[in-house]
Amino acid sequence: MSRYASALVFTLATIAAADTRPADVTICDYYTNAIFGVNNATNQKAIVIAVVNTAVAGNYTHNVQKTNIAVPGILALNATFDGTSVNLLPYFDGSLASSSIGGKAAAVDWLDGGGAAPLYKSMPTSSNGTHQYTLMTHLYEYFGGVLGCSGYGKGFPSYNSTTSMYSVHKYMALNPFEVSYFIEQVGASAASWGVSPADVEVVGSTLQSLFGQKCTANTSVLPGSPPELQSICIDAACPRAPNASCSAYDAVERPAAGNGTATKHPSNGSAPSNASGTMPPGSSGTSKNGAMALQPLIGTVMSALVAGIVLTFL
Ligand code: HEM
Ligand SMILES: *[C@@H]1O[C@H](CO)[C@@H](O)[C@H](O)[C@H]1NC(C)=O
Ligand SMILES: *[C@@H]1O[C@H](CO)[C@@H](O)[C@H](O)[C@H]1NC(C)=O
Ligand SMILES: *[C@@H]1O[C@H](CO)[C@@H](O)[C@H](O)[C@H]1NC(C)=O
Ligand SMILES: *[C@@H]1O[C@H](CO)[C@@H](O)[C@H](O)[C@H]1NC(C)=O
Ligand SMILES: *[C@@H]1O[C@H](CO)[C@@H](O)[C@H](O)[C@H]1NC(C)=O
Ligand SMILES: *[C@@H]1O[C@H](CO)[C@@H](O)[C@H](O)[C@H]1NC(C)=O
Ligand SMILES: *[C@@H]1O[C@H](CO)[C@@H](O)[C@H](O)[C@H]1NC(C)=O
Ligand SMILES: *[C@@H]1O[C@H](CO)[C@@H](O)[C@H](O)[C@H]1NC(C)=O
Ligand SMILES: *[C@@H]1O[C@H](CO)[C@@H](O)[C@H](O)[C@H]1NC(C)=O
Ligand SMILES: CC(=O)N[C@H]1CO[C@H](CO)[C@@H](O)[C@@H]1O
């Protein structure tokens, strides 16, 4: 364990010396270095898994105990955004025919690998070969690219699925409250692991401008991917992108019920708790200073690495 103790000391020294991220260092690389002292693909993966799993399932109890930032999670029941109810679970658990399979709307249970439980153990799923394994590993890969991990494609596995986020999310016909809630949870998760308010703001506004507006023109998001349609917010109420290409998008109805065709596992796909619909702590400036907030990640990720469970998605 002494290796980890010295990483902690190094981390605190690094953060004390340089409290803000230099403009030429990506968010992924900066926090990987700050937390582990070594910025390599292995450590980048550990951080991206922690942030994505927390955003999806809600805060790990020990995490929130240290940072005091609660993350209800994308799957939370009774969530709200700006006073409007948001319930994203039915898009994930097969209740709605909202996934695009072979270009058609279909109901798929994306939580068939144990739901939130394995996420709390820093794993993508409790069983390989599940839809959940596919979804979670793809999210790690995609967010590793979006957050600028320098190991992306070089030790950090690159995303190899559909690169048009419009195509993936089209049949969900998502509205601004749903998309903003999702983005808020990503920001709150990052804040709960010690990402600074300024960097949470960068992540949130990047996601909003890429995916949170309707009619976004062809855009390449990941390194090496072609320019394609990326709007995830496509409902009429979504803000219109400045360089709008509305005719490129199909009009899509809100999804129909899944009519029981998906394999459903409600007991392990259900959300852990009620949600409180507040703005991300980072953007309201309430998160703790970096050094304090980074401590829980060191403990959590390190114990997961010791147990050998973090990197099961490779
Ligand atoms: C705002 C930023 C978002 C990003 C960057 C994002 C990214 C992704 C990615 C990379 C995948 C995997 C696609 C694949 O495997 O081919 C995915 C799947 C999925 N996303 Fe999102 N997403 C976002 C917002 C949302 C929102 C707001 C919802 C609301 C319900 C949502 C629901 C889903 C579901 C249900 C899937 C599984 C469907 C499938 O893979 O076909 N996502 N997302
Ligand atoms: C990355 O650094 C960690 C130490 O923080 C080390 O355990 C791991 O083996 C390194 N990974 C690679 C791919 O070099
Ligand atoms: C159920 O929904 C699927 C699409 O998810 C559709 O292909 C199928 O025809 C529907 N079945 C019935 C009985 O409506
Ligand atoms: C999820 O729950 C269902 C029903 O409760 C169970 O049959 C299934 O084995 C569980 N799946 C996993 C991966 O734990
Ligand atoms: C895509 O990535 C997944 C997960 O890393 C992997 O299981 C799959 O084999 C890859 N597929 C291709 C075509 O490379
Ligand atoms: C606007 O979008 C079009 C594609 O529809 C693209 O060719 C053009 O470069 C974009 N302009 C700006 C300023 O982004
Ligand atoms: C977007 O790119 C696709 C190819 O990926 C092309 O077929 C389509 O015409 C482009 N649409 C616009 C509006 O630029
Ligand atoms: C969730 O919120 C509802 C009211 O919206 C309340 O009745 C219920 O007790 C809450 N559940 C938990 C676990 O806090
Ligand atoms: C959600 O709210 C309803 C009442 O609006 C309540 O009955 C239910 O228990 C809540 N669910 C959770 C998980 O808190
Ligand atoms: C799942 O696959 C990973 C490699 O992708 C492997 O390391 C792990 O042992 C597998 N888990 C199970 C339960 O088969
Ligand atoms: C999903 C989850 O576990 N939420 C918890 C996050 O932390 C707060 C504060 O401790 C709890 O109230 C939530 O239940």
Side-chain angles (χ1 to χ4, degrees), residues 47-314:
I47 289 188
V48 170
I49 290 170
V51 169
V52 169
N53 282 9
T54 303
V56 170
N59 47 255
Y60 299 36
T61 304
H62 44 267
N63 175 25
V64 86
Q65 281 168 351
K66 293 274 177 56
T67 61
N68 222 10
I69 294 171
V71 188
I74 286 162
L75 302 179
L77 302 174
N78 296 331
T80 59
F81 188 86
D82 262 4
T84 296
S85 298
V86 167
N87 184 14
L88 301 184
L89 181 60
Y91 298 96
F92 288 92
D93 71 2
S95 300
L96 294 172
S98 57
S99 297
S100 177
I101 303 296
K104 295 215 167 89
V108 175
D109 182 3
W110 296 97
L111 302 175
D112 57 353
L119 305 188
Y120 289 133
K121 296 185 219 155
S122 300
M123 298 192 295
T125 179
S126 55
S127 23
N128 290 344
T130 53
H131 297 304
Q132 182 168 335
Y133 176 87
T134 304
L135 172 65
M136 295 311 301
T137 56
H138 286 173
L139 289 176
Y140 303 148
E141 293 159 2
Y142 196 87
F143 277 90
V146 167
L147 296 173
C149 298
S150 56
Y152 184 80
K154 298 173 289 220
F156 191 117
S158 49
Y159 178 74
N160 63 11
S161 188
T162 311
T163 48
S164 163
M165 287 298 108
Y166 165 59
S167 296
V168 170
H169 299 87
K170 172 176 178 173
Y171 295 112
M172 300 173 204
L174 295 165
N175 70 34
F177 300 100
E178 294 170 317
V179 176
S180 296
Y181 180 74
F182 183 107
I183 293 172
E184 174 191 62
Q185 294 308 300
V186 174
S189 169
S192 81
W193 291 113
V195 172
S196 73
D199 286 336
V200 167
E201 183 60 40
V202 169
V203 171
S205 56
T206 301
L207 296 176
Q208 277 293 349
S209 74
L210 286 170
F211 310 113
Q213 307 176 99
K214 65 182 175 187
C215 303
T216 305
N218 273 347
T219 306
S220 165
V221 177
L222 295 178
S225 71
E228 291 167 306
L229 302 176
Q230 304 294 354
S231 292
I232 290 175
C233 201
I234 58 170
D235 181 85
C238 297
R240 196 170 187 269
N243 187 13
S245 206
C246 293
S247 61
Y249 288 83
D250 297 331
V252 178
E253 302 287 320
R254 296 286 281 179
N259 74 23
T261 47
T263 318
K264 282 196 63 186
H265 297 303
S267 66
N268 46 30
S270 63
S273 76
N274 276 1
S276 68
T278 51
M279 288 306 291
S283 53
S284 57
T286 55
S287 79
K288 302 276 189 260
N289 76 65
M292 286 307 294
L294 288 168
Q295 288 182 50
L297 182 54
I298 296 161
T300 307
V301 174
M302 282 308 177
S303 39
L305 282 171
V306 169
I309 56 176
V310 158
L311 303 175
T312 52
F313 82 96
L314 273 188

